[in-house]
């Protein structure tokens, strides 16, 4: 099979790569992480100016009309720079939910802003008790006048602390773990009753928990049919998983490069430690894990925008499982190869390792994905 990017896709990846290399040094990332936003507003503006925030959207909305491979090209380069900007949350996941579930008026109202980068969206689907199950929704939305009243709590909303639009799942019918009965609402964070509690995450980003206390919204805040958001959320979480896999490959590439460079420079007994066979074998294993992860990320990208099916579900679960295991292997063995310096805050490898571990836990870790894959295989 030909896994080479076409000319347009390669140009896209090269553009993002040049931007990241030129504007996103490790030292600058540390500075961006300490700001109130937790990322660089200037870099986000550059992504927007180059049209990169419009990559996955249709040309009618001012987009690039790109698919899974184009998103992969962007996310891999953002991963290489450990970029903190909410591209996944706003453009891929949030924009995907609005594009699939929203009506024409809602798409025109919100997607145009997301595509231009002027509007940043965050996705509030996970709850304290849900443990990766996005159907486990206890937040309630009850009819109130011409709209709805929302009550509940959402957890680990990455980018939610500074989002302009928050997409919230809430149950309008059924029990807390039913796939049916989940609705999707678009909220302004300034709406009365919305409380955000922000905190840093271990990988240097910022997130928040959101408390909804008698939040009143109009009927126009409902995306799609009432109680019919479960299938939309599942499909778009699959697209987000494919994007995460692509990001992880970029992170792994740099983690391996840093480790190999260290093995060439660090000396013990008068020779570079890379001369020792046991460390050579470890480096080969790390490179093998990277290539396996790369193959699965390409496979995931190929089905990201495909019609929903059990085959698509299986591929995405398998890809996320492999990505999670490979990322953990590279993180652990990279730290072993570096020694104590590999865990220090001042050295960049530690931050790549933290991002890989965090990616494993986003949208289901490797154990959860293995269970999903096994269930799908048994049902086929």
């Amino acid at each position: 099979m030909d896994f080479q990017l076409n000319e347009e896709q390669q140009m896209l990846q090269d553009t993002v790569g040049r931007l990241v290399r030129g504007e996103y040094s490790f030292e600058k990332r540390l500075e961006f992480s300490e700001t109130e936003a937790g990322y660089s507003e200037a870099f986000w503006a550059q992504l927007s100016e180059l049209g990169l925030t419009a990559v996955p959207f249709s040309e009618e909305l001012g987009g690039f009309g790109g698919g899974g491979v184009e998103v992969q090209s962007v996310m891999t380069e953002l991963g290489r720079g450990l970029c903190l900007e909410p591209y996944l949350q706003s453009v891929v996941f949030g924009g995907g939910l609005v594009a699939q579930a929203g009506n024409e008026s809602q798409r025109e109202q919100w997607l145009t802003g997301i595509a231009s980068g002027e509007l940043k969206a965050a996705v509030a689907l996970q709850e304290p008790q849900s443990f990766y199950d996005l159907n486990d929704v206890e937040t309630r939305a009850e009819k109130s006048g011409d709209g709805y009243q929302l009550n509940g709590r959402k957890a680990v909303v990455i980018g939610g602390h500074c989002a302009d639009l928050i997409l919230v799942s809430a149950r309008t019918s059924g029990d807390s773990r039913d796939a049916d009965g989940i609705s999707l609402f678009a909220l302004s964070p300034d709406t009365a009753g919305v409380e955000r509690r922000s905190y840093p995450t271990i990988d240097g980003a910022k997130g928040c928990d959101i408390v909804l206390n008698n939040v009143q919204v109009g009927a126009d805040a409902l995306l799609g049919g009432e109680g019919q958001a479960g299938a939309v959320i599942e499909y778009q979480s699959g697209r987000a998983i494919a994007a995460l896999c692509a990001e992880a490959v970029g992170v792994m590439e740099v983690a391996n490069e840093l480790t190999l460079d260290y093995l060439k420079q660090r000396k013990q007994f008068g020779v570079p430690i890379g001369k020792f066979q046991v460390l050579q074998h470890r480096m080969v294993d790390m490179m093998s894990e990277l290539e396996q992860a790369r193959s699965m990320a390409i496979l995931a990208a190929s089905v990201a925008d495909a019609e929903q099916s059990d085959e698509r579900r299986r591929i995405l679960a398998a890809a996320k499982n492999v990505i999670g295991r490979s990322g953990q292997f590279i993180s652990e063995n990279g730290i072993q190869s570096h020694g104590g310096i590999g865990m220090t805050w001042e050295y960049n490898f530690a931050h790549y390792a933290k991002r890989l571990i965090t990616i494993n836990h986003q949208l289901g870790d490797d154990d959860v994905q293995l269970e999903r894959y096994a269930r799908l295989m048994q049902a086929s």
Side-chain angles (χ1 to χ4, degrees):
M1 298 180 66
D2 182 11
F3 292 137
Q4 297 296 316
L5 300 177
N6 63 35
E7 184 178 354
E8 200 171 55
Q9 292 164 345
Q10 189 62 59
M11 287 176 61
L12 174 65
Q13 185 163 343
D14 291 344
T15 298
V16 184
R18 283 194 300 270
L19 178 63
V20 171
R21 289 191 300 272
E23 303 293 334
Y24 229 92
S25 67
F26 174 64
E27 292 73 21
K28 286 185 178 180
R29 182 185 187 271
L30 291 179
E31 294 175 6
F32 299 154
S33 180
E34 295 297 324
T35 64
E36 184 178 351
Y39 63 89
S40 169
E41 294 278 7
F43 186 77
W44 181 259
Q46 288 179 294
L47 292 175
S48 304
E49 289 168 7
L50 290 170
L52 298 173
T53 51
V55 165
F57 302 115
S58 65
E59 295 179 5
E60 291 76 20
L61 293 164
F64 183 77
V69 176
E70 285 74 21
V71 171
Q72 178 192 26
S73 300
V74 175
M75 290 298 297
T76 298
E77 294 303 322
L78 294 180
R80 288 186 61 88
L82 286 185
C83 297
L84 297 162
E85 286 64 33
Y87 192 91
L88 172 70
Q89 292 77 21
S90 183
V91 176
V92 180
F93 207 170
L97 288 170
V98 175
Q100 185 175 353
N103 57 38
E104 184 175 349
S105 174
Q106 291 168 328
R107 289 195 294 269
E108 184 174 341
Q109 178 183 359
W110 291 314
L111 276 189
T112 304
I114 293 174
S116 69
E118 297 173 1
L119 181 73
K120 291 182 285 293
V123 179
L125 305 177
Q126 189 170 321
E127 300 188 359
Q129 81 291 339
S130 60
F131 191 69
Y132 304 132
D133 183 0
L134 298 183
N135 290 332
D136 190 344
V137 178
E138 293 184 354
T139 298
R140 305 293 302 191
E142 299 177 347
K143 286 277 192 180
S144 177
D146 295 332
Y148 296 85
Q149 187 178 83
L150 277 64
N151 285 280
R153 181 181 175 188
K154 296 296 179 177
V156 197
V157 183
I158 304 300
H161 64 293
C162 61
D164 306 304
L165 182 71
I166 302 175
L167 304 173
V168 177
S169 61
R171 188 164 293 284
T172 47
S173 63
D175 293 330
S176 62
R177 294 189 177 182
D178 290 347
D180 297 327
I182 300 173
S183 299
L184 192 63
F185 295 89
L187 306 180
S188 166
D190 298 324
T191 305
V194 177
E195 180 184 353
R196 296 183 287 183
R197 300 171 181 172
S198 303
Y199 46 79
T201 57
I202 67 163
D203 58 341
K206 279 188 170 66
C208 69
D209 289 351
I210 297 178
V211 178
L212 305 171
N213 185 21
N214 296 327
V215 176
Q216 197 76 30
V217 297
D220 57 351
L222 176 67
L223 289 170
E226 182 179 306
Q228 299 175 19
V232 176
I233 291 170
E234 182 192 10
Y235 184 84
Q236 293 301 327
S237 67
R239 292 181 67 246
I241 283 174
L244 274 173
C245 291
E247 180 190 355
V249 169
V251 179
M252 289 184 220
E253 286 175 349
V254 179
N256 278 2
E257 291 167 8
L258 290 171
T259 304
L260 182 59
D261 188 56
Y262 185 79
L263 295 182
K264 291 178 178 179
Q265 293 186 32
R266 174 75 165 88
K267 290 187 176 182
Q268 188 68 40
F269 306 113
V271 296
I273 60 175
K275 293 282 188 180
F276 302 141
Q277 192 175 59
V278 66
L279 294 180
Q280 293 175 358
H281 290 173
R282 178 180 289 163
M283 194 70 240
V284 168
D285 290 341
M286 290 172 65
M287 296 300 294
S288 297
E289 290 290 336
L290 168 60
E291 291 308 315
Q292 182 173 255
R294 193 194 313 277
S295 296
M296 293 306 292
I298 292 171
L299 183 59
S302 71
V303 301
D305 293 320
E307 186 177 343
Q308 184 66 292
S309 65
D310 282 347
E311 178 67 11
R312 178 179 183 269
R313 293 184 179 99
R314 282 195 296 269
I315 288 173
L316 292 170
K320 188 64 164 55
N321 171 266
V322 170
I323 290 289
R325 288 189 295 105
S326 296
Q328 184 165 336
F329 182 91
I330 288 173
S331 299
E332 292 175 352
N333 282 275
I335 290 172
Q336 285 289 322
S337 299
H338 280 86
I341 192 176
M343 298 181 67
T344 57
W345 181 261
E346 295 78 10
Y347 186 56
N348 51 1
F349 181 88
H351 297 261
Y352 282 88
K354 287 179 180 181
R355 182 58 190 147
L356 287 173
I357 298 303
T358 303
I359 286 174
N360 185 27
H361 288 282
Q362 288 184 265
L363 297 175
D365 64 18
D366 55 317
D367 290 333
V368 168
Q369 300 297 342
L370 183 60
E371 291 174 5
R372 287 178 184 170
Y373 184 84
R375 285 197 302 270
L376 289 164
M377 290 301 293
Q378 289 174 353
S380 63

